[in-house]
Amino acid sequence: MREVSRTEVGPGPWRSGLSRAFGLAVALLAAPAGAEVGIVTFTVDNVTSQFFRNQMPEFFERGIPGTLFGQTRPITGAPGDMTWEDARSLAGHGWEFGAHGYTHAYMLSQASDEVLEMELGVPASQIYLGTGIFPVTFASPNGDYDERVLQRVRVYYKAHFRGWGNEGINLMDRTDHYHINREHVSNQKSVDEICAEMERAGREGYWLVYIWHRVVEVPSYEYENSVAQFEGVLDCAARLRDEGAIRLMTARDALEVVPHTPK
């Protein structure tokens, strides 16, 4: 199978950690007998300094964990790009750094074997050297992959995340960790609509994975969201977590909860 691309600081970590622990405890206590509260995971595909400075603190201040999927070539501290110091700070806020290729410049299903190894292996080693934590999750650049790509992904990583699919829904008993669905938060939906999606995931007990790409005042294309929508969705997620209606987790942590069910 091939998926083809459609386009291409807050409070200290101790407070975020207490908030996450409290939310998880409430969620588990509130789960109906014989069922578990569903999981929502926020992922970010953006390694710009602007997003890191302006949007990441919004997650941190609410104690919301998540996974940043980043290509590693731009993480040099050059103007406009994240730094490795930024990347190292993620863990203290409950965030995971997942790999998103080295350059993000290739369609992996069409890349040579040498380029494919570079795009998979280099970010794994750079993230480990830069943060001290080996990445276990990978999201294909441009959402493009095929079975050859997945065979090599399995060498380096424990899971592969798609660029979209099934509205980001992953069932607890039918999720292949190398075909995990994600969905960009639609800028055509209201905060209430997205809040209802998250509440349903919690109530029906599945894993919902969202993507954020860019947050701006006025969105101009499908991979942009407004500041008001972004902050409203995070407020809702934090509230649902505190009410025990959903569990918020990084991709890495969710993999420990959702069984691997190979296709």
Side-chain angles (χ1 to χ4, degrees):
M1 181 183 71
R2 177 183 170 195
E3 179 170 301
V4 181
S5 173
R6 293 181 287 196
T7 52
E8 250 312 20
V9 187
W14 64 271
R15 187 176 301 173
S16 296
L18 286 174
S19 179
R20 290 192 302 276
F22 173 77
L24 179 58
V26 171
L28 293 174
L29 289 172
E36 284 196 290
V37 172
I39 300 166
V40 175
T41 294
F42 290 114
T43 66
V44 169
D45 289 10
N46 191 315
V47 291
T48 65
S49 60
Q50 181 180 32
F51 193 100
F52 195 88
R53 302 300 178 214
N54 295 338
Q55 273 72 57
M56 292 306 297
E58 299 294 336
F59 292 109
F60 302 158
E61 290 166 6
R62 293 166 175 81
I64 295 177
T67 299
L68 189 152
F69 284 111
Q71 63 270 32
T72 54
R73 185 176 183 180
I75 305 178
T76 62
D81 294 326
M82 275 180 61
T83 68
W84 282 110
E85 183 178 357
D86 296 332
R88 284 190 291 274
S89 74
L90 289 170
H93 294 287
W95 273 70
E96 167 197 11
F97 196 115
H100 197 36
Y102 173 54
T103 68
H104 202 292
Y106 298 92
M107 304 294 277
L108 296 188
S109 66
Q110 302 172 32
S112 67
D113 290 345
E114 292 78 10
V115 168
L116 180 59
E117 292 303 315
M118 175 186 73
E119 292 293 330
L120 295 177
V122 171
S125 61
Q126 286 187 317
I127 291 170
Y128 177 64
L129 290 172
T131 68
I133 302 172
F134 195 90
V136 298
T137 56
F138 180 82
S140 288
N142 308 302
D144 177 72
Y145 69 96
D146 59 13
E147 187 53 40
R148 179 183 69 113
V149 173
L150 291 183
Q151 286 178 358
R152 299 310 299 166
V153 169
R154 291 183 180 96
V155 172
Y156 296 100
Y157 305 98
K158 291 184 178 180
H160 169 268
F161 286 72
R162 304 175 66 194
W164 46 83
N166 199 34
E167 299 181 325
I169 294 171
N170 302 276
L171 302 181
M172 292 292 183
D173 60 347
R174 278 168 281 172
T175 293
D176 185 320
H177 284 186
Y178 292 92
H179 294 272
I180 296 172
N181 298 311
R182 296 195 294 163
E183 189 69 16
H184 191 273
V185 178
S186 173
N187 59 22
Q188 299 300 305
K189 294 179 180 178
S190 69
V191 170
D192 287 344
E193 288 175 307
I194 298 166
C195 194
E197 291 178 354
M198 293 190 288
E199 189 277 333
R200 180 185 174 192
R203 184 178 68 252
E204 298 188 6
Y206 54 79
W207 182 20
L208 179 61
V209 185
Y210 282 124
I211 311 173
W212 300 100
H213 282 95
R214 293 187 64 204
V215 176
V216 297
E217 290 297 332
V218 180
S220 60
Y221 79 118
E222 63 178 320
Y223 291 144
E224 291 183 337
N225 298 87
S226 71
V227 172
Q229 184 195 37
F230 173 72
E231 295 181 358
V233 169
L234 298 195
D235 284 340
C236 173
R239 176 178 62 79
L240 290 174
R241 183 237 4 243
D242 293 344
E243 292 173 354
I246 62 174
R247 289 179 285 173
L248 295 176
M249 292 185 177
T250 66
R252 179 191 290 259
D253 289 342
L255 292 173
E256 299 299 318
V257 176
V258 180
H260 175 41
T261 309
K263 288 188 174 182

